[in-house]
Amino acid sequence: MTVSRREFLKTSAAATAAASIGVNLLPGMKNNLFAGQVEWHKSVCRYCGTGCGVMVGTKDGKVVAVKGDKENTINRGHLCVKAFYLPKAVNSKTRLKHAMIKKNGKFEKVTVDEALDFVAKKFNEIRQKHGANALAFYGSGQAETEETYMANKLWKGCIGTNNMEGNPRLCMASAVGGYLTSLGADEPAGTYQDIEQAKFFMLIGSNTAEAHPILFERIMRHKTKNPDVQILIIDPRKTPTDQVADLHLFPKPGYDLAILHAMAKIIIDEGYADEEFIKTSVIFKDNKNKIDYAGYKEFLKKYTPEYASQRSGVPAEDIIKAARMFGKAETAMSLWTMGINQRTRGVWANNLITNLHLLTGKIGKPGCDSFSLTGQPNACGGVREGGGLCHLLPGHRLVVKEKHRQQVAKVWGVPVERIQPKPGKHTVAMFEALNKGEIKGIYIMCTNPAQSLPNASKYWKGLEEQFVVVAESFFPTATTKYADVVLPSAFWTEKEGVYGCTERRSQYMPKVKDPEGDAVWDAFLLRDLGKKMGFVKEFEKYQTAQDIWDEYRGLTKGQDMDLWGATYDRLKKVRGLTWPVPSEDHPGTYKRYTDGDPIYDALPAEKKKGRRMYFYGPKAKDGYATIWARPDKGPEEPTDAEYPLALSTGRVMEHWHTGTMTMTAPELNRAVPKAYVEINPSDAKKMGINNKDQVVVETRRGSLEIEARVIDRPIPGTIFIPWHWEKWMANILTIDAFDPGSKEPEYKVCAARIKKA
Amino acid sequence: MPIAGVVILTREEMTSQVLNQLQNVENVTTYGVHKNNNIVAVFEGQTPKELERINDKLINEVPGILGIYPAYVNYEDVEEQND
Ligand code: SF4
């Protein structure tokens, strides 16, 4: 019989889709219709922090297909529209295939070896002449853990500077600060497994439908099956996430802290607090000092629903409704992302969300958690856990702690004095130092700061003037323009390594094809640079990815994020492991701080007596979590007569971050072909602006000519611009004021005005 | 030449309406309604661009669709072959 191969592929595609929901479309036929056609490899999606499992199909050394990994508990065979384009990104025309050095303003092709020789010579010159702190590294939550680990060792352990940062500073540093100060240790207590057990969701500062579509699918399916599940949304903008909302509060951007305090007050006043849990597991603090429960209640007195309404613009009765939904629900899960983190009081906002869970005891139980969602696929694994920020060392360690420096120096084989005891410069300070010429050389890996920094154009000067090395898979980007040297990096599927996603799950990704052109794995670029800079003994031992992972794994042994039991051998077989996973026979941990957490289980009985949770970690004392009485500060730059609109920026579903990976797929570019500014119809009418008019958006930092989209998504008085485009760069408008605790900038709110172009 | 197998999640009360509409969309083949509100479908196109256009069109123009989830995407060149 002759059938067209197209028909065969169609049937196969339909059967795979059906299988992903547990339906056998072709009874009697064995599952693997693809046998002999395509070779499949278990991997992880390259794009967002959800961490979906992807099966990568190769044929003749090329990536030709992807499937959702049905065995993966995160996505159970489904993907979102971004993963649709994964194979295209690998084979994109804009892949960088060779190294280049800029000579007389023009890039000239060189070998990778020549480029690394040149970088090593320049970096050594800078180090000798100006000291180690004149060098810096800027990495990424998209890099693998092994890659960040090598950079950490080269900069902090060998060169001897803590000027080592990564872009997670810009998206989730406030969540780190929030977890540390509320629960004692970074990262969530629960996992995604809580979604299907929650009776109530508070989605705050998160457009889950567009930014984390697969988690949103899980929430939708759960609600469809259980119509009594309730969903509260707190967000200044109407988004596709609204399709599941039972109640949506629309606060003025930056004014939601008062709402969270008012909800806490109602929860206590109306008897929804878990007094027993509060007694056994919680202490209270105002901004500086320990207070008692009565002091906290006194602090909350001011936060009546009416006061919160006046601050936020949300009707008081809706705030009461929201608090009752939270209070009455048997179980509750809060999910948030950049709308909370990217604020000058992002840590406080994180604290106030967790306050509600601690007050009601809705934490440490199935279906209950205060759960921060991550934007990038390995921001948690590589940067938070791997220690890729200026104050951290691998394994949730801190540079300021002598013991931590000693432990790491011993494993790295470097003198302990080489690791400075003082944190280096955080991201904004680092690029400021580059502008001032205090930092004279920077290595940028797998990220695009010329576009993604807030108030971006301010920092182009430093990039222009200092020695800049960019290791990238794509060319050109906004940042490679400023590079003196570009190094071609192997991309997803061309290297092996580990990604750690939002739910503390570390997953292995295999190398399934050779890198394009001369591209080299970033970890080996760094290793070879280290050797060429003179650190031969320190780097020659790393011959494989597993060598690096095993050393790192050893450094996590006994830490709160213990990955000792997550060997490559295991990770190659399972769909990731959620730490702590202290031994090779440990299955991984669902809930921290409670029964089943190996660290909790190992505590002496007297510590656990009468307590279902015991909070531990660098900031926890005597097992208590902290409820915070933080002031309700508004945004850094409130609107005024001159700049009367609040500008917010964010993602749209089809694109991801600065677009280096998604814009390379022409289809994605067409789906949302150019940037736009969303304006509420009532504001547009007042200003005489029609849909598709060209307008100029101005802030105190810059202006942008852009198309108007008149739509009722933003509330009156606010506007929204997606930030993915280099040509219409929203970040020349945003403010670079940052949270004093987390140093995360306030991308989410600044004052703006609009006029017709 | 790309082909994608997708699951289309619908509002339960609108599933048959969605299915009817999908049956008239060019380059979309449906493979039935499963488990109340899941429609299995295949998108196909002469170029990869068409897959995205289909996805976009359905999300924007067919009421009752909650989400579209690709489960399989194939980009290999399609040739006729004997089975
Ligand atoms: S939700 Fe995130 S991880 Fe999952 S397929 Fe989409 S982009 Fe990839």
Side-chain angles (χ1 to χ4, degrees):
Chain A
M1 183 179 70
T2 301
V3 295
S4 86
R5 179 150 161 74
R6 193 168 182 81
E7 274 310 313
F8 169 76
L9 282 173
K10 271 179 71 176
T11 311
S12 304
T16 307
S20 73
I21 47 167
V23 170
N24 187 354
L25 213 54
L26 305 166
M29 255 183 109
K30 280 271 174 258
N31 268 348
N32 200 350
L33 287 164
F34 307 100
Q37 308 281 329
V38 172
E39 202 182 329
W40 292 101
H41 316 265
K42 171 181 85 73
S43 191
V44 185
C45 175
R46 173 64 178 77
Y47 288 122
C48 91
T50 304
C52 295
V54 169
M55 301 298 291
V56 181
T58 54
K59 196 176 167 187
D60 304 328
K62 278 199 164 155
V63 174
V64 294
V66 292
K67 278 198 289 192
D69 181 358
K70 221 168 112 350
E71 304 300 316
N72 194 299
T73 56
I74 297 173
N75 56 316
R76 296 170 182 136
H78 287 176
L79 301 168
C80 80
V81 68
K82 283 187 286 294
F84 217 68
Y85 301 95
L86 275 167
K88 296 226 40 132
V90 180
N91 305 318
S92 154
K93 285 198 179 85
T94 63
R95 281 298 304 277
L96 175 60
K97 294 185 182 171
H98 49 258
M100 290 186 287
I101 295 179
K102 203 184 262 167
K103 289 181 188 155
N104 302 319
K106 285 217 168 98
F107 281 117
E108 286 182 16
K109 193 171 158 182
V110 293
T111 65
V112 170
D113 207 45
E114 283 167 329
L116 286 176
D117 277 335
F118 181 63
V119 175
K121 188 167 160 271
K122 284 291 285 186
F123 276 4
N124 275 340
E125 277 169 16
I126 292 170
R127 186 167 171 243
Q128 272 149 23
K129 210 164 158 198
H130 304 282
N133 287 338
L135 290 173
F137 176 89
Y138 189 63
S140 170
Q142 297 152 56
E144 294 168 340
T145 302
E146 294 83 346
E147 292 167 328
T148 299
Y149 183 80
M150 292 303 263
N152 227 351
K153 175 167 179 177
L154 178 55
W155 259 260
K156 290 177 187 156
C158 296
I159 294 172
T161 177
N162 291 333
N163 287 338
M164 190 211 165
E165 278 280 283
N167 56 15
R169 175 73 73 189
L170 307 179
C171 55
M172 48 191 297
S174 297
V176 177
Y179 279 126
L180 277 166
T181 48
S182 288
L183 304 183
D186 186 23
E187 305 195 49
T191 68
Y192 301 149
Q193 217 179 303
D194 288 311
I195 292 174
E196 282 75 19
Q197 302 178 78
K199 291 276 188 204
F200 168 81
F201 294 88
M202 179 167 84
L203 307 178
I204 176 165
S206 160
N207 175 5
T208 323
E210 292 197 284
H212 295 91
I214 290 295
L215 296 181
F216 186 66
E217 183 198 5
R218 286 178 64 166
I219 295 171
M220 279 195 304
R221 286 187 184 276
H222 175 51
K223 188 169 161 74
T224 308
K225 258 197 224 151
N226 306 279
D228 58 328
V229 167
Q230 291 203 304
I231 299 181
L232 163 70
I233 296 180
I234 306 181
D235 195 298
R237 186 166 162 257
K238 199 191 277 177
T239 68
T241 306
D242 276 71
Q243 57 191 315
V244 295
D246 292 286
L247 177 65
H248 189 146
L249 312 187
F250 294 93
K252 288 188 292 187
Y255 290 96
D256 46 11
L257 300 194
I259 296 176
L260 294 165
H261 278 319
M263 286 174 70
K265 180 173 161 46
I266 296 160
I267 281 169
I268 296 172
D269 289 351
E270 298 195 2
Y272 299 120
D274 182 339
E275 303 294 345
E276 183 57 28
F277 185 75
I278 291 172
K279 207 160 46 187
T280 57
S281 308
V282 167
I283 56 165
F284 296 86
K285 282 187 187 164
D286 68 13
N287 229 4
K288 288 190 190 91
N289 305 308
K290 204 167 160 186
I291 56 173
D292 59 11
Y293 193 11
Y296 176 62
K297 287 181 186 165
E298 186 59 33
F299 164 84
L300 287 180
K301 266 196 178 149
K302 165 172 144 188
Y303 294 97
T304 61
E306 293 70 29
Y307 174 80
S309 169
Q310 191 194 321
R311 289 285 282 164
S312 64
V314 173
E317 57 276 18
D318 282 352
I319 297 172
I320 298 169
K321 256 190 236 163
R324 287 180 182 158
M325 282 165 85
F326 198 117
K328 281 182 188 162
E330 204 180 304
T331 52
M333 194 171 183
S334 297
L335 300 152
W336 69 93
T337 174
M338 303 318 147
I340 287 296
N341 294 340
Q342 292 178 332
R343 306 262 294 274
T344 45
R345 285 302 174 191
V347 174
W348 292 4
N350 272 264
N351 290 147
L352 302 199
I353 294 168
T354 303
N355 277 359
L356 301 180
H357 289 270
L358 293 171
L359 274 176
T360 54
K362 288 173 186 164
I363 188 160
K365 295 192 279 200
C368 294
D369 206 17
S370 183
F371 197 89
S372 148
L373 298 172
T374 312
Q376 300 187 87
N378 199 31
C380 288
V383 178
R384 278 158 90 161
E385 295 153 27
L389 295 175
C390 67
H391 62 298
L392 299 175
L393 287 169
H396 279 175
R397 289 183 176 83
L398 300 169
V399 296
V400 292
K401 293 206 170 169
E402 193 182 351
K403 192 170 148 211
H404 290 180
R405 294 196 302 279
Q406 278 166 350
Q407 289 166 336
V408 174
K410 190 169 164 215
V411 171
W412 280 351
V414 299
V416 68
E417 315 76 62
R418 190 77 63 67
I419 305 176
Q420 294 192 30
K422 212 177 130 208
K425 291 192 187 304
H426 61 82
T427 295
V428 172
M430 182 186 277
F431 283 93
E432 239 158 35
L434 208 65
N435 268 358
K436 287 184 195 151
E438 291 164 12
I439 290 176
K440 300 197 177 292
I442 188 167
Y443 188 108
I444 297 168
M445 180 175 86
C446 188
T447 184
N448 191 9
Q451 185 176 340
S452 59
L453 287 170
N455 195 3
S457 55
K458 176 175 160 188
Y459 300 104
W460 295 342
K461 175 180 178 284
L463 290 168
E464 182 78 54
E465 290 173 358
Q466 311 306 334
F467 181 66
V468 174
V469 181
V470 178
E472 247 301 351
S473 299
F474 302 96
F475 183 88
T477 71
T479 306
T480 56
K481 235 190 270 176
Y482 300 100
D484 294 282
V485 180
V486 287
L487 299 167
S489 304
F491 188 57
W492 177 79
T493 67
E494 298 169 351
K495 56 186 182 181
E496 62 177 337
V498 174
Y499 267 0
C501 74
T502 304
E503 63 160 357
R504 293 183 278 111
R505 182 176 299 276
S506 294
Q507 302 188 86
Y508 171 83
M509 295 178 294
K511 176 180 171 182
V512 302
K513 70 180 277 285
D514 288 330
E516 295 285 310
D518 296 343
V520 177
W521 185 34
D522 275 310
F524 284 169
L525 285 174
L526 290 159
R527 173 197 66 183
D528 295 346
L529 174 62
K531 287 203 284 190
K532 284 174 189 289
M533 286 181 76
F535 306 108
V536 178
K537 164 174 79 54
E538 289 84 347
F539 283 100
E540 65 189 358
K541 61 179 164 178
Y542 306 112
Q543 295 305 315
T544 64
Q546 187 168 346
D547 292 341
I548 304 172
W549 178 254
D550 282 346
E551 186 175 294
Y552 169 66
R553 198 165 56 85
L555 265 170
T556 70
K557 195 175 178 183
Q559 295 295 106
D560 67 320
M561 41 73 55
D562 197 331
L563 281 162
W564 178 241
T567 59
Y568 259 26
D569 274 356
R570 269 187 98 185
L571 290 176
K572 281 177 187 174
K573 290 179 203 127
V574 300
R575 266 61 182 178
L577 290 162
T578 48
W579 55 258
V581 48
S583 59
E584 282 186 50
D585 56 0
H586 192 277
T589 302
Y590 161 43
K591 284 277 177 197
R592 296 169 86 190
Y593 313 118
T594 190
D595 272 338
D597 170 355
I599 299 173
Y600 175 90
D601 291 343
L603 288 169
E606 67 271 18
K607 283 199 171 180
K608 292 186 283 189
K609 199 172 163 213
R611 302 169 107 174
R612 76 173 169 82
M613 292 188 87
Y614 189 96
F615 295 93
Y616 55 79
K619 296 268 184 188
K621 212 169 161 243
D622 302 327
Y624 291 101
T626 304
I627 287 182
W628 288 93
R630 305 282 204 191
D632 80 297
K633 189 186 165 289
E636 186 69 17
E637 189 182 59
T639 54
D640 54 23
E642 210 184 338
Y643 294 92
L645 298 166
L647 164 67
S648 198
T649 60
R651 287 188 196 180
V652 288
M653 168 126 87
E654 293 81 355
H655 286 302
W656 193 79
H657 281 211
T658 63
T660 43
M661 289 187 293
T662 50
M663 301 286 185
T664 56
E667 305 70 35
L668 279 176
N669 242 338
R670 288 177 50 92
V672 189
K674 57 180 172 176
Y676 51 83
V677 54
E678 289 179 359
I679 312 172
N680 185 277
S682 64
D683 290 330
K685 198 172 168 200
K686 270 187 241 157
M687 292 183 281
I689 292 169
N690 295 311
N691 199 29
K692 296 202 173 220
D693 277 355
Q694 280 298 114
V695 294
V696 178
V697 181
E698 290 176 321
T699 68
R700 289 185 174 88
R701 292 151 295 280
S703 69
L704 192 64
E705 189 175 323
I706 197 170
E707 190 174 286
R709 186 174 286 185
V710 178
I711 187 167
D712 69 348
R713 278 183 156 202
I715 54 172
T718 69
I719 54 175
F720 172 85
I721 306 180
W723 71 289
H724 314 274
W725 290 268
E726 187 185 340
K727 194 170 162 200
W728 300 277
M729 212 185 272
N731 280 329
I732 62 171
L733 303 172
T734 49
I735 190 167
D736 53 354
F738 52 82
D739 184 304
S742 68
K743 321 291 186 214
E744 180 164 342
E746 188 156 69
Y747 287 93
K748 285 296 168 193
V749 206
C750 69
R753 63 187 176 208
I754 292 192
K755 60 183 188 206
K756 267 190 154 179
Chain B
M1 204 178 275
I3 285 179
V6 305
V7 173
I8 301 175
L9 182 66
T10 61
R11 282 193 190 285
E12 206 161 323
E13 68 282 8
M14 294 173 81
T15 307
S16 50
Q17 197 180 316
V18 173
L19 183 67
N20 282 340
Q21 289 213 43
L22 291 180
Q23 278 159 355
N24 298 321
V25 180
E26 215 184 328
N27 291 326
V28 175
T29 312
T30 55
Y31 291 80
V33 173
H34 306 276
K35 299 196 168 171
N36 305 330
N37 60 339
N38 298 276
I39 297 171
V40 169
V42 168
F43 298 171
E44 54 183 322
Q46 293 304 311
T47 67
K49 285 172 194 142
E50 287 181 15
L51 289 189
E52 165 275 317
R53 279 197 214 123
I54 294 165
N55 185 80
D56 220 32
K57 186 180 161 76
L58 299 187
I59 289 275
N60 291 323
E61 294 176 16
V62 181
I65 292 183
L66 291 171
I68 298 177
Y69 303 101
Y72 171 70
V73 188
N74 187 299
Y75 283 95
E76 56 183 316
D77 288 329
V78 177
E79 301 149 358
E80 294 285 308
Q81 69 162 40
N82 288 329
D83 195 15

